[in-house]
Amino acid sequence: MSEPAVADSGEIQDPLVPDWDRIELPNTWADEINFKTWTNVGRLFRSLFKKGNGRIELPVEFPDSLMDKGELPKYLQQEFHGIPNGNFSNNITRGYISAFDGTMLGKMKPVRKEIASWFSSATRVLDIGCAGGQMAAVVKKQGIEDVWGVDPSPYLLKHGAKANPDVKFVQGLAEDLKFADKRFDGITASFLFHEIPPKYIDRALSECHRVLDEGGLLAICEPSSIQFKGGWWQMFKGYGFTGLYFKWLANHVYEPFVPAWHKQDIATLLQRHGFEVLINRRGMPEHTVLAKKLTS
């Protein structure tokens, strides 16, 4: 473990940053797939082709300092996107991280760069739901010294820490951030809120407001409703074969909380939590929002 840092904004210490290089995470069934002996192969195909998300199997225990099954909300204990054992495996999470940008046809790379540019005046940025750290890494390249990433999956965090050693990765929940009040002047959340039940969205936004300094910025990027609600012909007319692909992807990847997210009036939601919306741009396939914490 690295030594805890003291948050500038108060006496509450920052979470301990694990030494991810030395932490050995236990294999899950998804890591034991062996095509030579067909071990767990049948289970793999059931996981890939079933309707909806299955439940994940967590190891009996994790290394000290990491959250166990009893501390993870039930909504996190599902196979997001139909990925075998969800975000809890050594091998498949690595593949998910490397394949994400390809699945999104490279469209997220310029979006990340634009979002990072919004934080040119920031010095302390937190990326919640950071996964493998792609967004946090781009923010760090912006020249921001103090960049943190938070995610509930230690498997994603371990890969992220290996790829981005200058970012501080800690396990945690968006709805229960273990940081002091006003600790950061910027927060990013990329492809996070559409995977959270509505009551947890409210909690997470309350936490964002709490840990942001006065005038701090919150940047959100989520899947656009366009590819979920647009018809096939409408998508082809507007976006060509790319539109058809993202329409197919929206239908193919099971996202149980997406409809609830797309019913939200984002501007009203953020205003209710003490934010002023500066940018609210619905593109395809992404919807980006920039909001500022209102001064007391």
Side-chain angles (χ1 to χ4, degrees):
M1 296 288 181
S2 63
E3 292 299 318
V6 178
D8 295 336
S9 55
E11 296 181 357
I12 297 177
Q13 293 181 330
D14 288 334
L16 287 169
V17 179
D19 185 347
W20 292 106
D21 284 338
R22 295 189 178 185
I23 287 181
E24 293 293 330
L25 296 173
N27 281 341
T28 61
W29 73 265
D31 295 309
E32 304 296 339
I33 297 168
N34 185 341
F35 284 93
K36 293 181 179 180
T37 61
W38 293 93
T39 304
N40 280 325
V41 171
R43 188 172 185 181
L44 169 65
F45 279 90
R46 287 195 299 272
S47 179
L48 288 173
F49 297 109
K50 69 183 174 304
K51 185 178 181 179
N53 289 339
R55 305 302 296 176
I56 65 173
E57 280 190 13
L58 289 171
V60 175
E61 60 182 18
F62 282 106
D64 290 344
S65 82
L66 297 180
M67 302 167 68
D68 59 27
K69 182 175 182 178
E71 298 172 282
L72 289 170
K74 288 186 178 180
Y75 78 86
L76 286 170
Q77 298 182 41
Q78 61 174 311
E79 293 181 325
F80 283 104
H81 312 131
I83 298 172
N85 219 48
N87 295 328
F88 289 82
S89 71
N90 284 294
N91 295 329
I92 293 180
T93 51
R94 181 171 59 243
Y96 169 73
I97 293 168
S98 61
F100 179 80
D101 279 341
T103 302
M104 298 300 293
L105 305 183
K107 291 184 175 293
M108 287 307 299
K109 291 183 179 180
V111 172
R112 292 190 196 108
K113 289 182 180 179
E114 180 183 27
I115 290 174
S117 72
W118 295 343
F119 294 94
S120 58
S121 299
T123 59
R124 301 162 284 134
V125 175
L126 172 66
D127 183 25
I128 57 174
C130 65
Q134 294 100 317
M135 185 71 248
V138 179
V139 171
K140 184 69 179 177
K141 288 179 182 178
Q142 182 74 24
I144 298 171
E145 182 176 349
D146 190 23
V147 179
W148 291 71
V150 172
D151 197 276
S153 168
Y155 296 93
L156 290 172
L157 292 168
K158 185 174 173 66
H159 295 313
K162 182 178 181 180
N164 308 287
D166 293 333
V167 176
K168 288 167 273 193
F169 291 97
V170 292
Q171 191 186 28
L173 305 173
E175 62 267 27
D176 186 21
L177 298 172
K178 303 300 184 182
F179 292 96
D181 295 355
K182 302 182 181 181
R183 171 64 177 85
F184 298 98
D185 53 10
I187 293 177
T188 62
S190 184
F191 280 54
L192 168 70
F193 289 110
H194 76 282
E195 294 186 342
I196 299 179
K199 70 176 182 179
Y200 289 97
I201 291 174
D202 282 318
R203 295 178 190 175
L205 288 174
S206 294
E207 280 291 88
C208 288
H209 188 273
R210 180 184 66 79
V211 303
L212 266 179
D213 206 347
E214 301 295 336
L217 297 176
L218 169 63
I220 297 172
C221 179
E222 294 292 338
S224 173
S225 62
I226 292 174
Q227 60 263 32
F228 287 85
K229 297 180 180 180
W232 290 97
W233 178 241
Q234 178 186 356
M235 294 299 295
F236 181 70
K237 285 199 302 181
Y239 307 99
F241 288 106
T242 297
L244 293 181
Y245 168 77
F246 280 109
K247 175 66 178 177
W248 170 84
L249 189 65
N251 289 343
H252 179 73
V253 178
Y254 180 66
E255 301 271 23
F257 308 116
V258 161
W261 171 254
H262 285 157
K263 288 179 181 178
Q264 299 270 9
D265 183 318
I266 305 303
T268 301
L269 174 68
L270 290 170
Q271 289 165 6
R272 189 169 73 242
H273 286 278
F275 291 96
E276 175 190 2
V277 175
L278 306 177
I279 298 173
N280 187 3
R281 185 170 62 232
R282 197 181 308 275
M284 202 292 295
E286 83 291 339
H287 180 183
T288 50
V289 178
L290 179 65
K292 181 173 72 172
K293 178 178 175 177
L294 296 172
T295 57
S296 302

